[in-house]
Amino acid sequence: MINDIWILATASLVAAACALVGVFLILRRQALMGDAISHSVLLGIVLAYLITDSRALPVMLGGAVLIGLLTAWLSDSLHRIGKLQNDASIGIVFTLFFAIGVILVSLYTGQIDLDQECILYGEIAFIPFDTLTIGGGGNIADGFEIGPRAFWSIAIVFMIVLISILITFHRLQTVAFHPNLALSLGINTVFWHYFLMTLVSMTTVASFDAVGAILVVALLVIPASSAYLVAKSLKGMLWSAIAYSQTSVAIGYTLAYQLDSAISASISVSAGLLLLLTILILEIQKKRTHNLQKAS
Amino acid sequence: MDGFTLFPPPSFWDNWLSFWRFEDINVLWVLMGSILLGMSASVIGGFAFLRKRSLIGDALAHAALPGVMMAFLLFQTRDPLIIFIGALCSSFIGFFLIDWLPKNTKIKADTALAITLSFFFAIGLMLLSYIQGLEVSNKSGLDNILFGQAAAMTEEDIQLLTYVTLFTLITVVLFFQKFRLIAFNQDFARTIGMAVHRYELLLALLIVMSVVVGLQLVGVVLMAAILLTPIAAARFWSNQLSHILIIASMLGALSAIISTQLSYLAPAMPTGPWMVVSLSVLFILSLLFAPKKGLVKRYFEFQALRQQVAEENILRTLYKLLERKEFMHNHFTQADIQSFRNMPSSCLQSTLKQLGKKGLIKASTQGVQLTQSGLERATQLTRRHRLWENYLNQQAKLLPEQVHQQAERIEHILTDAQEAQLQRELSNSQSDPHGNAIPTTHKADKTQDAISSTSNTRGGENFD
């Protein structure tokens, strides 16, 4: 029972953090960059682990942010220097990084507690067994258990994301909605682009344990898109993205429980179903107002 | 990590030899299949790239996953044809969703791609995890399609792969002209009465088929690269579509050979990632070293152009100095040159050395001096500069203060024909907007006579 609570708490934090970041990704038309970064973060995690032999949060965050920013920068350079289309250069960079990541994982399977399965699904069902202890002077048995490692990672990252958005809300708003105005006001849009990419990298790496490298794209893009369809303001969009993500977690968890399927996949599927439902309702509304106009 | 070796050396070579002797006949078939796939995926990816839908392959491959799982769940079989048809169906649904979302909702095209990709993939994974919890036979190995496993392919897999890829290649060859037209100028194709929509659908079918049939070999996750990277690399080698496509298919085939081989040598290794890595290496090599558009070549061209501009600037400076002395005096020190043109001494010296080597100037005790050929070149450059200034002043109605900067750039690239045309079109080709005389080049030898004997006063008049 207590395990279920930890799993649910982790999942809803992951979904909320992804939804918040996803809103800005969608508004800045960087959905594909989110896809790319979530793939390449795998390489960052593997490299950070192989080099430092540690799974501490700062190490993982450092590796992921570095690789995430590298992905963004390389795609941009390839676009400019190689004169390739924007999405083509993104595709070339992230597939290479992800491929190297998968190769490293299968080469060092014995040494990393990562395998191909976990890249895909994450292992949210097992997170309660990997706990953090504090105190005890290095002796784990004496320490005080404070809960799953994955929970605390995502909790910290969620706080970072939340605080960043609260502090820089107006800047982010200007950059997201009026990139040209931002430029003419002297706002460094390049900085804010990479700032957003840093947030994306941190969120994906903290979500990695829970949902894997690919399903995180679903959590980044889908609830934020649903919110994009219904919201009228940025604040409203952020709130409704969170609402959508939490509903998906609730439905997805039930679904997974009933069907005995992977929790992370079920959450993503329910997010998608909610989006389709939203589109359906909007379409019906559109038809109805159309008909009313015709009648009058 | 100590003592860790990827492959124990002796058995590695044994394996490698046995691979290339085709001791296992299946190896030959898998190799053939993967080469064909590499070729057809690169070619069809080329058209997706030209239509600016480079990542469509990524989304379609992910979208195929639920179809595979559904087909298995419904028919409880691993028959390649049934799986293929299932994947084809769900991939097509994905294709239409990607098209439909941006047209009917506020959602943008790139977001639609990401939504479709992740939603379908999630459905696929959910079904896969559901299947793995079921008590059904031959469910193991179903997850091979996530990262690709060449060594796990069966004979029927290869047969299907061969048919589909051959079909794709032949169709592309047959309809090459039409596809090219659609890719480059859809509006034109429509005006000449082509059934654009039908060919678009055919192209979509080919893309979906190539993606779906490659899943066993490359895997869902990395299929994007097989469609995208070869064409991006090939683009650096040529400007002609047919050549680009042929080169792309060669690159695709090469990476297929490398990765299939690796998959046999290290059976635990997934094929897809290796194929992507080898393709990326080929891409980076093309980006750097391609003969016409490679970065190295472009860098050297840029350097050569800079050198040329620096040399020509010095020649022009010498000409102006000469003009100021009214062609009486043809010896100038480096300080003279620098007073006219701001240039670091080291750069100036190396440029002067180059000019000396080309015989355009010669060094003397008092400094440097233009030779006859140097003077000719300098006159020509000055003439072009001032003609262009005139042109901008008269035809583009720019003020005399505005014309110098632009002429400073254009003087290096004007051709003889353009010079003659400027001469013809300008009413006043005697002097530039600043009042300086525009020299004529065919008098250059006369001028040279005048200069070489510094006592001769006729020199200056020749330039009026």
Side-chain angles (χ1 to χ4, degrees):
Chain A
M1 187 57 213
I2 185 81
N3 285 351
D4 287 323
I5 291 176
W6 280 127
I7 292 174
L8 263 175
T10 312
S12 61
L13 275 181
V14 166
C18 287
L20 287 180
V21 177
V23 165
F24 291 100
L25 273 183
I26 303 251
L27 291 176
R28 299 259 304 134
R29 311 228 173 135
Q30 298 284 344
L32 290 175
M33 197 48 114
D35 182 31
I37 287 183
S38 63
H39 280 75
S40 18
V41 151
L42 173 70
L43 180 62
I45 294 174
V46 175
L47 281 182
Y49 184 75
L50 285 177
I51 291 169
T52 62
D53 218 18
S54 135
R55 272 189 60 200
L57 182 65
V59 176
M60 295 282 138
L61 278 184
V65 168
L66 228 61
I67 288 283
L69 292 182
L70 190 66
T71 309
W73 180 76
L74 270 183
S75 319
D76 193 43
S77 318
L78 208 56
H79 170 57
R80 278 185 295 109
I81 298 172
K83 292 176 185 152
L84 285 170
Q85 294 153 27
N86 212 352
D87 53 345
S89 47
I90 292 176
I92 290 171
V93 174
F94 91 77
T95 48
L96 173 63
F97 281 5
F98 189 71
I100 298 175
V102 175
I103 289 174
L104 285 177
V105 168
S106 48
L107 272 181
Y108 297 102
T109 313
Q111 288 156 51
I112 314 176
D113 55 346
L114 264 182
D115 54 16
Q116 293 173 13
E117 292 263 297
C118 144
I119 298 170
L120 294 168
Y121 304 102
E123 36 197 23
I124 197 164
F126 302 124
I127 54 164
F129 307 118
D130 183 13
T131 54
L132 274 183
T133 43
I134 49 168
N139 188 351
I140 293 169
D142 297 342
F144 176 64
E145 243 182 48
I146 56 165
R149 171 200 299 277
F151 173 80
W152 288 108
S153 313
I154 188 65
I156 292 170
V157 169
F158 178 76
M159 287 316 290
I160 296 177
V161 169
L162 193 64
I163 292 170
S164 317
I165 290 179
L166 285 178
I167 292 178
T168 61
F169 185 79
H170 290 289
R171 273 291 149 90
L172 284 174
Q173 192 174 25
T174 319
V175 173
F177 286 103
H178 312 282
N180 290 332
L181 173 69
L183 214 58
S184 61
L185 286 177
I187 296 174
N188 188 347
T189 46
V190 177
F191 167 79
W192 290 103
H193 175 67
Y194 284 100
F195 178 76
L196 184 60
M197 294 305 133
T198 310
L199 290 186
V200 174
S201 313
M202 291 201 303
T203 314
T204 39
V205 71
S207 315
F208 184 84
D209 275 340
V211 294
I214 303 172
L215 290 175
V216 73
V217 185
L219 294 180
L220 279 171
V221 176
I222 297 179
S225 301
S226 312
Y228 182 59
L229 291 177
V230 296
K232 299 264 184 311
S233 70
L234 180 58
K235 260 185 201 143
M237 186 170 167
L238 287 167
W239 280 114
S240 35
I242 291 199
Y244 270 108
S245 70
Q246 298 311 309
T247 320
S248 324
V249 170
I251 299 176
Y253 194 75
T254 325
L255 211 61
Y257 195 77
Q258 297 294 330
L259 292 175
D260 190 24
S261 55
I263 299 170
S264 51
S266 309
I267 293 175
S268 313
V269 170
S270 15
L273 293 176
L274 282 178
L275 172 64
L276 292 184
L277 191 69
T278 311
I279 292 176
L280 194 70
I281 292 172
L282 286 176
E283 285 287 300
I284 292 172
Q285 265 180 356
K286 211 161 61 178
K287 282 249 169 67
R288 192 173 291 166
T289 49
H290 191 71
N291 287 343
L292 276 178
Q293 272 167 359
K294 243 187 198 169
S296 66
Chain B
M1 230 166 285
D2 44 320
F4 183 85
T5 45
L6 177 47
F7 315 110
S11 76
F12 171 77
W13 288 112
D14 290 348
N15 279 339
W16 190 74
L17 280 177
S18 79
F19 177 86
W20 281 108
R21 283 197 207 108
F22 301 121
E23 280 168 13
D24 179 0
I25 190 68
N26 201 29
V27 174
L28 184 64
W29 288 114
V30 171
L31 192 65
M32 292 299 292
S34 56
I35 290 175
L36 276 173
L37 175 76
M39 290 171 69
S40 74
S42 322
V43 169
I44 205 70
F47 287 103
F49 179 87
L50 289 173
R51 305 280 324 276
K52 303 208 190 316
R53 305 183 84 170
S54 314
L55 285 177
I56 192 92
D58 195 23
L60 293 181
H62 284 74
L65 194 62
V68 174
M69 298 306 160
M70 236 18 207
F72 178 79
L73 210 56
L74 289 178
F75 298 97
Q76 306 265 325
T77 166
R78 294 280 297 281
D79 181 15
L81 195 63
I82 290 178
I83 300 276
F84 176 72
I85 291 171
L88 214 58
C89 291
S90 75
S91 226
F92 248 109
I93 297 174
F95 186 84
F96 284 113
L97 191 61
I98 293 171
D99 226 31
W100 187 86
L101 277 179
K103 277 184 196 156
N104 294 283
T105 67
K106 285 201 299 181
I107 293 170
K108 303 289 177 298
D110 65 323
T111 315
L113 203 71
I115 290 174
T116 312
L117 178 157
S118 57
F119 180 46
F120 277 72
F121 191 70
I123 299 178
L125 281 189
M126 194 176 150
L127 289 171
L128 177 61
S129 63
Y130 175 68
I131 290 171
Q132 275 165 347
L134 291 179
E135 292 292 324
V136 289
S137 56
N138 69 20
K139 65 182 180 189
S140 69
L142 213 51
D143 52 351
N144 273 343
I145 69 159
L146 292 172
F147 293 112
Q149 193 62 271
M153 286 179 87
T154 62
E155 218 176 301
E156 290 104 56
D157 286 333
I158 311 257
Q159 267 175 13
L160 183 71
L161 177 66
T162 317
Y163 291 142
V164 172
T165 48
L166 282 178
F167 173 74
T168 310
L169 285 172
I170 291 170
T171 318
V172 169
V173 171
L174 283 181
F175 293 101
F176 178 71
Q177 302 291 347
K178 304 251 157 78
F179 286 161
R180 182 171 61 179
L181 195 56
I182 292 180
F184 284 113
N185 201 339
Q186 241 182 71
D187 292 335
F188 178 63
R190 212 166 276 136
T191 25
I192 61 168
M194 235 171 88
V196 173
H197 195 69
R198 202 177 304 157
Y199 287 106
E200 289 227 289
L201 214 59
L202 179 63
L203 203 56
L205 177 72
L206 291 181
I207 295 177
V208 172
M209 271 171 47
S210 311
V211 167
V212 167
V213 85
L215 294 182
Q216 278 282 341
L217 209 60
V218 189
V220 166
V221 186
L222 289 167
M223 195 64 208
I226 313 303
L227 273 90
L228 168 59
T229 314
I231 188 75
R235 231 194 34 140
F236 290 107
W237 293 87
S238 170
N239 273 329
Q240 204 182 333
L241 182 62
S242 53
H243 293 181
I244 293 180
L245 290 180
I246 290 169
I247 293 168
S249 67
M250 300 281 191
L251 295 175
L254 192 61
S255 72
I257 295 174
I258 296 170
S259 57
T260 313
Q261 195 172 304
L262 273 165
S263 173
Y264 272 89
L265 297 179
M269 219 40 106
T271 329
W274 281 109
M275 196 151 174
V276 174
V277 169
S278 50
L279 269 178
S280 302
V281 171
L282 291 173
F283 172 79
I284 293 166
L285 290 177
S286 307
L287 173 69
L288 291 177
F289 301 114
K292 275 187 201 134
K293 299 201 242 171
L295 286 188
V296 173
K297 168 80 178 167
R298 265 159 61 189
Y299 176 77
F300 280 123
E301 271 176 3
F302 179 67
Q303 288 299 327
L305 183 66
R306 256 177 56 165
Q307 179 67 31
Q308 188 202 336
V309 168
E311 285 173 16
E312 294 185 349
N313 280 343
I314 302 262
L315 285 178
R316 282 241 312 124
T317 309
L318 286 172
Y319 182 88
K320 273 195 266 184
L321 287 166
L322 208 56
E323 198 176 40
R324 176 166 289 193
K325 297 270 188 240
E326 297 184 331
F327 303 94
M328 305 286 278
H329 178 72
N330 190 12
H331 292 287
F332 303 104
T333 60
Q334 286 184 20
D336 290 336
I337 298 175
Q338 272 167 324
S339 69
F340 249 88
R341 192 169 285 275
N342 198 3
M343 200 174 195
S345 300
S346 61
C347 178
L348 177 62
Q349 273 158 17
S350 69
T351 316
L352 284 176
K353 208 179 275 175
Q354 282 297 320
L355 283 170
K357 263 189 210 156
K358 288 184 183 166
L360 295 173
I361 59 168
K362 56 184 184 233
S364 64
T365 43
Q366 291 129 303
V368 294
Q369 169 181 12
L370 279 170
T371 63
Q372 182 173 349
S373 57
L375 180 70
E376 249 170 77
R377 183 82 188 115
T379 315
Q380 187 186 36
L381 286 166
T382 311
R383 177 177 162 72
R384 286 178 182 174
H385 178 97
R386 290 179 182 170
L387 277 175
W388 189 255
E389 285 187 334
N390 254 358
Y391 175 75
L392 288 180
N393 182 235
Q394 291 176 16
Q395 312 272 353
K397 305 284 180 233
L398 289 183
L399 295 174
E401 302 86 71
Q402 295 170 319
V403 295
H404 175 75
Q405 283 299 332
Q406 301 200 35
E408 193 72 347
R409 291 165 154 211
I410 206 91
E411 67 189 28
H412 305 288
I413 50 175
L414 281 180
T415 61
D416 288 341
Q418 286 165 331
E419 183 189 323
Q421 196 182 353
L422 281 174
Q423 164 85 37
R424 272 198 310 279
E425 287 183 13
L426 293 175
S427 53
N428 168 22
S429 45
Q430 261 69 54
S431 65
D432 72 4
H434 312 296
N436 291 320
I438 296 178
T440 43
T441 31
H442 58 269
K443 287 184 190 165
D445 40 344
K446 269 197 221 164
T447 333
Q448 180 59 29
D449 293 339
I451 292 167
S452 52
S453 54
T454 40
S455 59
N456 194 334
T457 48
R458 276 180 61 244
E461 292 154 18
N462 274 337
F463 285 85
D464 288 340

